[in-house]
Amino acid sequence: MNVKEKRIVVTGAAGFIGSNLTDSLLEKGAEVVGIDNLFNGRLENLDEAFKHNKFEFHKGDIRDLNFLLNVFEGIDIVYHLAAFTSVPQSVIMPENCNDINVNGVLNVLNAARRMDVEKIIYASSSSVYGDTPTLPKREDMRRLPISPYGVAKLACEAYMQVYHQVYGLKTTSLRYFNVFGPRQKDSTFSGVIAIWLGNIIRNENLIIFGDGKISRDFTYIKDVIQANLLVTKHDVSGEIFNIGAGSPINLTKLAKIMLKITNREHLKIIYKDPRPGDIIHSYADISKANRLLKFEPEYNQENGLKEYFKWYDDKYGTNLI
Ligand SMILES: NC(=O)c1ccc[n+]([C@@H]2O[C@H](COP(=O)([O-])OP(=O)(O)OC[C@H]3O[C@@H](n4cnc5c(N)ncnc54)[C@H](O)[C@@H]3O)[C@@H](O)[C@H]2O)c1
């Protein structure tokens, strides 16, 4: 399926990944209907999209079935990204997380079924693996989430598969691994790259919880978008894919690269006590996505960071690079 001329819903369109996906779909000639309740998203993320005559935006909540039924009229594909996205917050308020990330997803599936949507592509997460020691993470290995957020993502992957098997909806889940790039928020609960970027701009030292050996498969946003677009081109209904860079990096090395690229090597890296519940190592085996989707990451952490910082300088007039 080519996205050109297709009518596509992006839920969570005003968020970090949803807004980048929206821009790419519009660029490829799709008609995009963005929905978001603006709980965490920002309309300014859609500034580019609003310039486009093939874009429309509806403010609303995925927990409102009637809202979804209206918006899904005549839709071919739904990218479902709207979510309660903070892992630590999900520990504090598991009911809210479940309400949005499980009940909300069921609503999306039921509305899609009733309105004859052809395909649903779901934003899952590496958090479904929890802290199992086996590396890299493969899709068929045991999943042991250690947060309500991870449980909800795992439940919804199962719902995606069941709605494919039982009702014939073409569903696919993508397990993202630590995404970074333009429009990611610098807040207490956001990814470490966005937090450190905020520190660098304010000329503050970078803080690492633990000894810095924690590693992650930081994945540049454009590779995540690439994977989302590839799903429309292949018949991979009922499947689940890891989407990562496939190259882990530890936090000390990452911090040093960020300080070097931005020429801020006078700033220090401060080590604090590890945080309970933090997963130690995580990285993706992406061979399944490579085999079935022809997914090949184009960015490593260093060139992804350079492109991100350049975008930041252009947009906010900072002097990072
Ligand atoms: N950023 C990552 O590293 C990462 C990693 C794994 C998975 N994911 C998943 O990718 C998706 C997008 O994440 P993101 O980083 O862009 O987060 P984000 O918070 O920037 O985007 C989520 C969007 O969903 C919206 N939203 C929240 N609740 C809603 C509701 N009830 N109804 C309608 N809209 C609602 C928010 O306002 C926000 O704009 C999420 O499903 C997230 O769980 C992200």
Side-chain angles (χ1 to χ4, degrees), residues 126-238:
S126 58
S127 64
V128 298
Y129 293 112
D131 213 1
T132 50
T134 318
L135 290 168
K137 304 296 184 197
R138 284 175 52 97
E139 290 87 346
D140 55 5
M141 64 187 265
R142 202 161 165 222
R143 294 133 314 159
L144 278 177
I146 54 171
S147 66
Y149 172 86
V151 170
K153 290 285 173 187
L154 184 57
C156 291
E157 288 182 351
Y159 270 126
M160 291 290 151
Q161 290 187 311
V162 164
Y163 270 62
H164 171 60
Q165 280 157 15
V166 178
Y167 306 115
L169 261 175
K170 292 184 176 169
T171 58
T172 303
S173 297
L174 301 179
R175 281 181 191 155
Y176 306 156
F177 281 66
N178 293 79
V179 191
F180 71 98
R183 302 186 185 137
Q184 187 168 22
K185 263 189 182 173
D186 158 24
S187 70
T188 328
F189 296 117
S190 61
V192 70
I193 291 179
I195 293 171
W196 286 347
L197 176 58
N199 293 139
I200 288 172
I201 289 166
R202 294 186 297 273
N203 220 23
E204 296 165 358
N205 296 325
L206 310 188
I207 291 169
I208 289 182
F209 295 99
D211 61 4
K213 294 197 177 107
I214 280 186
S215 67
R216 291 285 182 279
D217 197 0
F218 292 100
T219 311
Y220 191 54
I221 181 78
K222 284 205 179 151
D223 285 326
V224 171
I225 303 304
Q226 182 209 144
N228 274 283
L229 295 175
L230 285 170
V231 174
T232 62
K233 294 194 178 143
H234 300 270
D235 187 10
V236 285
S237 306

Side-chain angles (χ1 to χ4, degrees), residues 2-253:
N2 194 332
V3 294
K4 196 163 188 258
E5 310 303 339
K6 294 286 174 198
R7 201 166 153 77
I8 300 177
V9 159
V10 177
T11 74
F16 159 43
I17 303 173
S19 62
N20 280 287
L21 178 62
T22 296
D23 288 346
S24 293
L25 290 168
L26 288 167
E27 215 174 275
K28 299 254 176 264
E31 273 179 53
V32 181
V33 181
I35 69 174
D36 204 298
N37 69 352
L38 301 180
F39 171 73
N40 199 31
R42 291 175 290 199
L43 278 181
E44 77 161 81
N45 288 343
L46 293 168
D47 280 351
E48 286 307 309
F50 277 119
K51 290 180 195 154
H52 227 281
N53 60 7
K54 285 188 167 176
F55 178 67
E56 58 187 85
F57 178 75
H58 297 267
K59 183 174 176 211
D61 200 296
I62 54 162
R63 289 166 292 180
D64 178 348
L65 182 63
N66 285 330
F67 166 70
L68 293 182
L69 289 171
N70 279 329
V71 176
F72 284 10
E73 174 94 53
I75 293 295
D76 303 298
I77 302 170
V78 171
Y79 281 100
H80 182 48
L81 287 92
F84 182 111
T85 48
S86 163
V87 176
Q89 285 282 11
S90 81
V91 175
I92 298 165
M93 37 180 111
E95 303 87 349
N96 286 24
C97 174
N98 192 77
D99 196 28
I100 298 169
N101 290 6
V102 180
N103 296 339
V105 169
L106 262 181
N107 257 354
V108 169
L109 282 165
N110 287 329
R113 220 186 120 207
R114 278 170 63 178
M115 301 313 288
D116 290 325
V117 170
E118 202 180 326
K119 214 167 207 176
I120 300 195
I121 298 148
Y122 172 59
S124 186
S125 157
S126 58
S127 64
V128 298
Y129 293 112
D131 213 1
T132 50
T134 318
L135 290 168
K137 304 296 184 197
R138 284 175 52 97
E139 290 87 346
D140 55 5
M141 64 187 265
R142 202 161 165 222
R143 294 133 314 159
L144 278 177
I146 54 171
S147 66
Y149 172 86
V151 170
K153 290 285 173 187
L154 184 57
C156 291
E157 288 182 351
Y159 270 126
M160 291 290 151
Q161 290 187 311
V162 164
Y163 270 62
H164 171 60
Q165 280 157 15
V166 178
Y167 306 115
L169 261 175
K170 292 184 176 169
T171 58
T172 303
S173 297
L174 301 179
R175 281 181 191 155
Y176 306 156
F177 281 66
N178 293 79
V179 191
F180 71 98
R183 302 186 185 137
Q184 187 168 22
K185 263 189 182 173
D186 158 24
S187 70
T188 328
F189 296 117
S190 61
V192 70
I193 291 179
I195 293 171
W196 286 347
L197 176 58
N199 293 139
I200 288 172
I201 289 166
R202 294 186 297 273
N203 220 23
E204 296 165 358
N205 296 325
L206 310 188
I207 291 169
I208 289 182
F209 295 99
D211 61 4
K213 294 197 177 107
I214 280 186
S215 67
R216 291 285 182 279
D217 197 0
F218 292 100
T219 311
Y220 191 54
I221 181 78
K222 284 205 179 151
D223 285 326
V224 171
I225 303 304
Q226 182 209 144
N228 274 283
L229 295 175
L230 285 170
V231 174
T232 62
K233 294 194 178 143
H234 300 270
D235 187 10
V236 285
S237 306
E239 298 288 349
I240 297 172
F241 295 96
N242 286 339
I243 299 301
S247 57
I249 183 170
N250 76 43
L251 292 187
T252 298
K253 196 165 171 210

Side-chain angles (χ1 to χ4, degrees), residues 246-266:
S247 57
I249 183 170
N250 76 43
L251 292 187
T252 298
K253 196 165 171 210
L254 179 76
K256 284 186 177 162
I257 291 178
M258 286 181 66
L259 294 178
K260 186 165 163 246
I261 295 176
T262 55
N263 207 12
R264 306 292 205 280
E265 281 160 300
H266 61 280

